Amino acid sequence: MGRPSLSRRQLLAGIGGLGVAGSFAFAAGGTGADALASSASTRVRYWNLFSGGDGSNMIAMLDAFRKANPAIDVKDSTLQWGNPFYTKLAMAAAGNRAPELGVMHMGRVTGFSPGRLLDPWDVELLAKYGVRQEDFNPALWSRGVIDGKLYALPLDIHVQLCFYRKDVLKKADLLGDDGRMIPVTSTDEWFDVLKKAKQAQKKGLQTIGLWTNDQNFQWWFFVAFYTQLGGEWFDDARTEVLFDADKATQVLEFLRQHVTDGYVIPGAPTGEQFINGAPFTWEGNWSVPVFSGAKLDYGATPLPPVFGKQATHAESHAFVLPHQAGRGGATNEAAHQLAAYVVQHALQWAAGGHIPAYTPTLSTPEYQKLTPQNEYVSAMDHQATEPKVWFAGSTGVLAQDLGPVVVSSTMGSAKPAAVAQTMKKRLAKLLVSKNPMDGRTAAQGGAVV
């Protein structure tokens, strides 16, 4: 694949440097042993990290594929979400025990040593099964391209949303004629909306849930609003930090104001408060089944463009091909066929709140009838993502380093301006640090679209 392979010893040393060894156990679903024992001539071992409602939706899609393609034996295994999953996947790829197909968060692909631990997709083979580049948002597709090759096939985007209670906002005269929340285009307008909503809400509840003490959510919100301001991270060569501390301070002060103005109860359970009548909560789209199951009269829109530009934080689940020394033949083609099928039949996946990456799905009558999904589908065209560097991505080093300092600002233990400077210093340190997977810095990582 153009780069020397990783030994198990090297990989374990690198993973240990990240502190992500964790548990390697399978959490649910099938097992790798079952797959290896299969006598089917064409089989696909498929590892994923989907549990709960997402797991049920994925199983339904896999069962539909099995029914339509009885000659292909799909052995799916669900592993523990987060770094334990990535650790096991990396070790399997390095030790030539990888499954034919896997799932990753798109933001983690650049750091997963494409060409060593991941094999590139055969785009002609994908096209044979109906999946083509023109059927995807260009920015989303390009995130999976490293050194000119496609290493991640997008399944969806999952975004941070502004959930709102229609019953409360109606009392506050904050709904438009279409029954949706009135547009907000500035921080002043947003805090005016919160003020009116607070006057109409039940006493004892917070006005908005912001996950103020959660490093992941606070980081995701920061990325969204920093992107709205047009903030940059690094130059194209990944050798210089372009992080704008003044713009970062604006975002941090904005987040902090929700607490100082009394719209947030720090530590309050956000989802439960929303179900009980709180006007707003900012949550991931995966909360849609929860709120719909509670039969709430609610809506969901991308995070408000308070700094003038539409942008809401987005990550993506994507199919990947874990490295196999002998990849090819019928099993490799079956992996392409399975991934292409799931991508094209993601209406079931949309029920979990995710926005399908395969854009023809978004124009179908079935998708357009989904609520509140049809209200926030526009997020596909204004994704705020982390920079394309090895240390980014879901549960990655970037969020672990910067998320806690964002929390310190929001919660008031540190001043926003000081936190912005701290963030810039940490970004500079990360930029020259080496990826434990391959010993290369971001500038040496070849993340070329």
Side-chain angles (χ1 to χ4, degrees), residues 147-167:
D147 290 336
K149 298 179 181 180
L150 182 70
Y151 281 94
L153 175 66
L155 170 60
D156 64 27
I157 64 166
H158 41 284
V159 295
Q160 301 306 315
L161 298 172
C162 174
F163 290 90
Y164 61 92
R165 292 283 302 241
K166 292 187 177 183
D167 49 351

Side-chain angles (χ1 to χ4, degrees), residues 192-272:
D192 186 54
V193 163
L194 291 181
K195 181 178 179 180
K196 292 177 179 178
K198 187 173 184 178
Q199 294 170 350
Q201 73 182 59
K202 294 179 182 178
K203 293 184 178 180
L205 295 175
Q206 62 186 359
T207 306
I208 182 170
L210 284 190
W211 291 93
T212 50
N213 56 355
D214 185 286
Q215 70 178 43
N216 289 311
F217 277 95
Q218 285 296 298
W219 170 243
W220 295 333
F221 299 151
F222 178 87
V223 170
F225 295 113
Y226 183 69
T227 302
Q228 288 186 13
L229 280 170
E232 297 181 276
W233 303 95
F234 311 109
D235 65 344
D236 292 340
R238 303 294 191 261
T239 58
E240 181 182 356
V241 176
L242 300 181
F243 186 74
D244 191 319
D246 291 336
K247 290 179 178 178
T249 300
Q250 289 184 61
V251 174
L252 295 168
E253 289 175 341
F254 169 71
L255 294 173
R256 173 64 181 158
Q257 188 174 342
H258 290 84
V259 179
T260 58
D261 285 3
Y263 296 119
V264 173
I265 301 175
T270 58
E272 290 87 339

Side-chain angles (χ1 to χ4, degrees), residues 1 21 23 43 62 84 112 142 209 211 247 252 257 268 309 321 328 356 364 395 403 415 433:
M1 308 304 293
S23 169
R43 66 178 185 182
L62 294 178
F112 216 72
S142 69
W211 291 93
K247 290 179 178 178
L252 295 168
Q257 188 174 342
K309 175 185 176 181
L321 301 174
T364 62
T395 70
K415 299 292 185 182
S433 63

